[in-house]
Amino acid sequence: AISLLWALEASLDRIMAEGLAARFARHAQLADRVREWAVKNFGLFAEVGYRSQTVTCVKNTRSIEVKALNTFLKSKGMQISDGYGKVKGSTFRIAHMGEIQLKDVDELLAFIDEFIMHNAQSIIVY
């Protein structure tokens, strides 16, 4: 479809304007920020050597209800992903790729912290 080719061209223009090295460095910075927060507040699912620079899978060690968290985040214009398969509910994923900036990640993490602080009733025990 022609519209997809135009969208690809626009995306590639943004990527090249930023520069590949700068884009990869930004993704690494975002990954580090999310991982730092996850280790402090939850835990990381992937072992060292298997962690992605574009999405972090967080262990849901606090047993928060991811669906309730996403309802809250959607009211703020944000969203995360639940785990899937055998780890659904016991993990959740935070993306940090594409056009996302450090301020976006910091805002998301602050909203998750706010949810945890003010919604203790949404924490479930497995």
Side-chain angles (χ1 to χ4, degrees):
I2 298 295
S3 60
L4 294 178
L5 293 175
W6 286 109
L8 174 61
E9 181 180 30
S11 293
L12 290 173
D13 287 345
R14 282 193 304 274
I15 291 168
M16 299 313 284
E18 181 177 5
L20 290 177
R23 194 169 189 91
F24 294 153
R26 181 171 51 79
H27 288 165
Q29 177 189 31
L30 299 177
D32 288 344
R33 175 67 180 99
V34 172
R35 288 182 196 141
E36 174 187 295
W37 173 87
V39 166
K40 178 181 170 192
N41 293 286
F42 290 93
L44 294 171
F45 182 75
E47 296 177 18
V48 174
Y50 296 95
R51 295 177 181 159
S52 170
Q53 294 290 69
T54 58
V55 66
T56 295
C57 188
V58 179
K59 284 184 186 177
N60 189 1
T61 56
R62 293 177 170 213
S63 300
I64 62 171
E65 188 179 333
V66 178
K67 184 176 180 179
L69 171 58
N70 250 339
T71 298
F72 173 76
L73 291 175
K74 285 180 185 177
S75 74
K76 307 292 186 185
M78 298 181 169
Q79 180 178 345
I80 61 166
S81 297
D82 199 345
Y84 55 92
K86 292 180 182 179
V87 296
K88 183 175 180 128
S90 64
T91 64
F92 58 89
R93 295 168 288 147
I94 298 175
H96 35 77
M97 62 182 129
E99 304 306 314
I100 295 172
Q101 301 294 318
L102 185 58
K103 67 177 179 53
D104 302 320
V105 167
D106 285 341
E107 186 176 28
L108 171 70
L109 300 179
F111 284 142
I112 296 173
D113 289 340
E114 179 183 336
F115 174 84
I116 292 167
M117 185 182 303
H118 293 101
N119 292 284
Q121 74 274 9
S122 295
I123 296 176
I124 58 174
V125 178
Y126 290 104

